[in-house]
Amino acid sequence: MTFKVDFKVRHYECDLQGIVNNSVYFNYLEHARHEFLFANGVDFALLAKQKVNLVVIRSEVDYKHSLVPEDEFYVSVEPERISRLKFAFKQAIVRKSDEKVMLQARVIGTSVNEKGRPFLPPEMDNLFKNSDLNLAV
């Protein structure tokens, strides 16, 4: 099962062409990742207070179709362990009315300690070891 977060396009997120601005999709993707982490016991804000920062090191985005104002959609999140220090989130933005995939993305990240050195804190390590991830909203 895939973790999903529901959204609705707001008018101010659109550009002069009347479609969602390409940069806004990154906000949707990020919000869904944060909700996924929180639902699985990873407190992004608490980690930051402990001087542990989760960082994006690469984003791959394929824009398929455009969302327009009032479109209802969801963002899916599927975690993937890449290496000892890297992880990825496979994500899609899907319009609800017809289940059409509007965007597909793979966001790769790691975490760094207060000295800027990569490491995976136990919360993140456990996230990828845990086969009972909370993938439903």
Side-chain angles (χ1 to χ4, degrees):
M1 187 180 264
T2 301
F3 183 87
K4 296 177 183 176
V5 179
D6 292 326
F7 291 85
K8 184 175 181 179
V9 175
R10 296 164 289 212
H11 290 270
Y12 67 82
E13 296 171 323
C14 298
D15 58 23
L16 292 174
Q17 298 172 47
I19 59 176
V20 171
N21 183 280
N22 65 331
S23 66
V24 173
Y25 290 100
F26 284 93
N27 292 329
Y28 298 154
L29 296 170
E30 182 173 23
H31 181 74
R33 288 193 309 275
H34 285 206
E35 289 295 320
F36 168 79
L37 290 171
F38 189 72
N40 286 284
V42 178
D43 187 333
F44 192 85
L46 181 60
L47 285 174
K49 285 181 184 175
Q50 296 169 349
K51 299 188 189 303
V52 175
N53 293 298
L54 302 180
V55 295
V56 170
I57 57 176
R58 181 178 178 84
S59 294
E60 303 165 1
V61 178
D62 293 316
Y63 298 94
K64 305 288 187 182
H65 303 281
S66 298
L67 290 168
V68 297
E70 305 299 320
D71 272 347
E72 292 184 7
F73 64 98
Y74 62 84
V75 179
S76 64
V77 180
E78 293 182 33
E80 174 188 4
R81 183 73 173 258
I82 296 177
S83 71
R84 190 173 63 82
L85 296 173
K86 291 182 190 174
F87 48 85
F89 296 100
K90 292 189 281 186
Q91 296 185 264
I93 294 179
V94 180
R95 187 171 52 206
K96 287 181 170 184
S97 64
D98 56 5
E99 289 295 308
K100 188 175 215 172
V101 174
M102 309 307 277
L103 175 149
Q104 291 178 314
R106 186 168 185 246
V107 179
I108 300 170
T110 190
S111 53
V112 294
N113 63 20
E114 62 185 277
K115 295 179 182 175
R117 300 192 70 115
F119 88 109
L120 213 56
E123 297 92 332
M124 289 301 290
D125 192 40
N126 291 337
L127 182 69
F128 294 100
K129 288 180 180 174
N130 184 358
S131 61
D132 297 324
L133 289 176
N134 182 3
L135 294 176
V137 175

